[in-house]
Amino acid sequence: MAKHMTDSHRRFLQSLMCCGIIEGSKARALHRHCCEVHRVHYPHEGLDDFIRVINTHLQPMFMQIRKGMSEEDGVQYYALVNITETDVTRMASDYSDTELELFRKAMDLIVDSETGTASSTEILNLADRLQPKKMKKKETEQVLQRLVQHKWLYEKDGEYTLSTRCIMEMEPYIQNIYQDLVKVCNICRNIAIQGQMCENPECGIKMHIPCVARYFKGRTDPRCPSCNEFWPHEIPDLSCPSPQAPSPGQAMAAKENTTQDTAPSRSKRLIRTTKN
């Protein structure tokens, strides 16, 4: 029998609906805040169990809170996803047909590239080939800004890639459309848009940068986990200080920052439905 969904669960879900995706440390702080506000027991390591209760009640509405990892730095995230809409049509309420076509073509460039990125120049050059109508350069730049703001794309130094939210929400679509162009990380078994590949032509496995860093940490003679050939790439160092447990004040701040996020909000009917 499914566990009862309390006001602490509903508060957590409502906050996540406002931003679509939240960093793991903020999700843990928000979990603590919700439990303290509604005076229910807060299990320090109980976030995943807490989310499982919410997911049980979201299942009839074909929604789910998923856990994923940033390909950039390995940071953990939680995202609210619609498990019935697996392609870019889920974005139709926020973008026009032409804007969605730009996003699709940008995805094509990103997935087809060796680096898993596309430059701003490459994407801007798509504007003249869009359907049902062309876009001006300024309009294209504004759409790209919105896609980054809404966390569908990630931009760094003029290079765009698929965001963590995009990969988490659209993984089935990406695998179905791009098939052999998309590899699965040999370590975590999730799709890898950005990463390092084994240069042995008979192997060719791919690993996320954070997975590479963890797998080869402390090894002086890095070798491919699949074929045992020497791994020729630079081994990244993603080490950073361990995050401290949030205080009640930090938890409150995390909750407030989350609800003020700029990503498009989900339908508020979802919260009302889960109360029934």
Side-chain angles (χ1 to χ4, degrees), residues 227-244:
C227 69
N228 205 38
E229 288 287 322
F230 178 73
W231 196 261
H233 307 287
E234 179 181 353
I235 307 304
D237 181 9
L238 299 180
S239 59
C240 59
S242 299
Q244 297 180 350

Side-chain angles (χ1 to χ4, degrees), residues 132-148:
K133 66 178 182 178
K134 299 177 181 179
M135 293 178 66
K136 296 179 180 178
K137 179 181 177 181
K138 185 66 175 179
E139 291 176 315
T140 306
E141 290 174 338
Q142 291 173 345
V143 174
L144 285 175
Q145 289 175 358
R146 286 169 55 211
L147 288 167
V148 171

